């Protein structure tokens, strides 16, 4: 069955008895070489892109780091606002480091 | 590839610059009734509150005295001593130096804008201790410490109103109190 099919295909092969020209052979070889090189190039491009993204992300992280506190001993201040029954408003700061 | 990289870099860089704009402190929103050319007079009274001792309020203005009476039951301080007082007429912002407990002095920085005819916003109110000269000289390469305000706040105030602005430790036995009044313009 298979032999019959193979001989049938060979009988009707349009390229049967023809040879590749030098130009076509060079072209096909060139394409094959290029295809072999392309995965490497793609990998290199991906690597370069990833490096750029990591570099930019690192810059962003360092830029947004909170600045070192100017006063290391400064504890958190709290502020409260309220009004007395007499209508006087009070804005009060509770400061753990307060001194006159 | 180069054609792809450039737009990509721009795409990543744009949010970086955009976030810079967001983190910049916003100045107060400009309003139609600008304070330029219109000054406001403020009365500033500096008082020390204490949990003990005698009250010394001789010479304190009437409005400030009423404010002290009002806060007597609210705050844990039983006696108040008038340290200094002054009048501050400013266009947009300015400061007044008042005497604290000697030799300490305080700079009271005020910046304001009108909200309506009788209402002002005090968008910056700071009480900064004045550095006392003649201290121990700093060593080579040691920068002096920045002046840290003991009070740094903002609030709105009606013209004619007295607001008590103060600071203390939680459970402390002394307090620095500023009785701040926006005086009506005459």
């Amino acid at each position: 069955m298979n032999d019959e099919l193979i001989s049938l295909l060979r009988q009707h092969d349009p390229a049967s008895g023809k040879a590749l020209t030098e130009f076509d052979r060079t072209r096909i070889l060139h394409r094959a070489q290029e295809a072999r090189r392309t995965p490497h190039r793609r990998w290199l491009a991906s690597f370069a892109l990833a490096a750029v993204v990591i570099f930019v992300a690192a810059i962003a992280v360092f830029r947004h780091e909170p600045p070192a506190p100017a006063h290391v001993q400064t504890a958190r201040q709290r502020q409260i606002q309220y009004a007395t029954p007499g209508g006087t408003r009070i804005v009060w700061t509770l400061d753990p480091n307060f001194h006159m | 590839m180069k054609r792809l990289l450039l737009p990509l870099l721009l795409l990543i860089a744009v949010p970086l610059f955009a976030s810079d704009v967001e983190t910049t402190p916003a100045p107060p929103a400009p309003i139609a009734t600008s304070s330029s050319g219109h000054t406001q007079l403020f009365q500033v009274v500096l008082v020390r509150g204490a949990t003990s001792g005698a009250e010394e309020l001789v010479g304190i203005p009437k409005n400030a005295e009423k404010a002290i009476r009002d806060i007597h039951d609210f705050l844990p301080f039983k006696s108040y001593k008038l340290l200094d007082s002054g009048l501050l007429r400013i266009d947009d912002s300015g400061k007044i130096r008042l005497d604290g407990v000697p030799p300490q002095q305080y700079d009271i920085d005020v910046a304001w804008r009108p909200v309506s005819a009788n209402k002002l916003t005090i968008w910056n109110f700071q009480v900064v201790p004045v550095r006392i000269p003649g201290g121990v000289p700093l060593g080579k390469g040691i920068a002096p410490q920045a002046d840290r305000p003991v009070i740094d706040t903002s609030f709105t105030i009606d013209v004619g109103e007295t607001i008590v602005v103060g600071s203390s430790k939680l459970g402390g036995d002394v307090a620095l109190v500023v009785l701040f009044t926006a005086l009506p313009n005459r």
Side-chain angles (χ1 to χ4, degrees):
Chain A
M1 173 73 183
N2 270 352
D3 293 341
E4 275 175 35
L5 189 63
I6 288 166
S7 67
L8 194 70
L9 284 170
R10 280 190 177 154
Q11 277 169 30
H12 293 90
D13 182 4
S16 173
K18 289 180 186 172
L20 277 173
T21 61
E22 192 58 35
F23 174 76
D24 286 341
R25 191 176 291 140
T26 313
R27 193 165 52 89
I28 289 166
L29 272 172
H30 185 72
R31 282 238 179 127
Q33 279 172 353
E34 209 170 62
R36 228 181 295 143
R37 241 184 283 143
T38 308
H40 176 69
R41 268 195 195 167
R42 277 188 191 158
W43 181 85
L44 205 68
S46 307
F47 180 78
L49 196 67
V52 167
V53 169
I54 289 167
F55 178 70
V56 173
I59 289 173
V61 166
F62 282 115
R63 283 167 64 107
H64 288 278
E65 243 180 26
H71 306 279
V72 178
Q73 59 176 2
T74 301
R76 185 174 283 273
Q77 290 184 348
R78 273 193 299 156
Q79 222 168 75
I80 41 178
Q81 295 197 19
Y82 51 95
T84 66
T88 300
R89 285 196 293 142
I90 302 172
V91 180
W92 203 264
T93 303
L94 290 169
D95 182 356
N97 295 320
F98 173 80
H99 58 89
M100 289 284 289
Chain B
M1 191 62 207
K2 278 178 188 170
R3 260 181 272 161
L4 179 73
L5 264 179
L6 190 65
L8 191 80
L9 277 174
L10 281 173
L11 202 71
I12 295 165
V14 163
L16 283 178
F17 291 109
S19 64
D20 268 3
V21 173
E22 282 163 21
T23 52
T24 308
I31 51 172
T33 52
S34 167
S35 61
S36 56
H38 170 211
T39 58
Q40 174 63 46
L41 186 62
F42 296 101
Q43 181 193 64
V44 189
V45 179
L46 195 64
V47 172
R48 188 200 67 180
T51 50
S52 58
E55 194 129 283
E56 297 174 49
L57 294 174
V58 180
I60 197 166
K62 282 255 182 319
N63 58 319
E65 193 179 358
K66 182 203 174 284
I68 291 282
R69 260 188 279 118
D70 276 357
I71 63 171
H72 248 294
D73 296 333
F74 258 74
L75 297 174
F77 308 104
K78 299 300 165 211
S79 70
Y80 292 89
K81 181 185 179 185
L82 173 66
L83 297 172
D84 200 2
S85 67
L87 292 173
L88 178 65
R89 182 179 285 282
I90 48 174
D91 183 2
D92 295 306
S93 63
K95 67 177 168 186
I96 183 170
R97 182 164 290 185
L98 295 179
D99 291 331
V101 177
Q104 186 63 63
Q105 290 182 309
Y106 297 93
D107 279 337
I108 290 113
D109 292 355
V110 180
W112 72 283
R113 276 183 184 277
V115 175
S116 60
N118 285 317
K119 204 175 194 70
L120 319 173
T121 177
I122 308 298
W123 59 269
N124 181 45
F125 186 94
Q126 286 191 333
V127 179
V128 186
V130 177
R131 194 183 302 277
I132 301 164
V136 181
L138 295 169
K140 195 179 175 186
I142 300 172
Q145 201 178 26
D147 294 329
R148 188 177 75 95
V150 287
I151 297 172
D152 184 359
T153 188
S154 58
F155 48 85
T156 58
I157 188 169
D158 291 330
V159 174
E161 185 184 10
T162 298
I163 289 196
V164 177
V165 189
S167 182
S168 68
K169 271 184 193 171
L170 186 63
D173 53 1
V174 285
L176 187 69
V177 184
V178 181
L179 305 163
F180 186 73
T181 310
L183 295 174
N185 284 314
R186 288 170 193 159

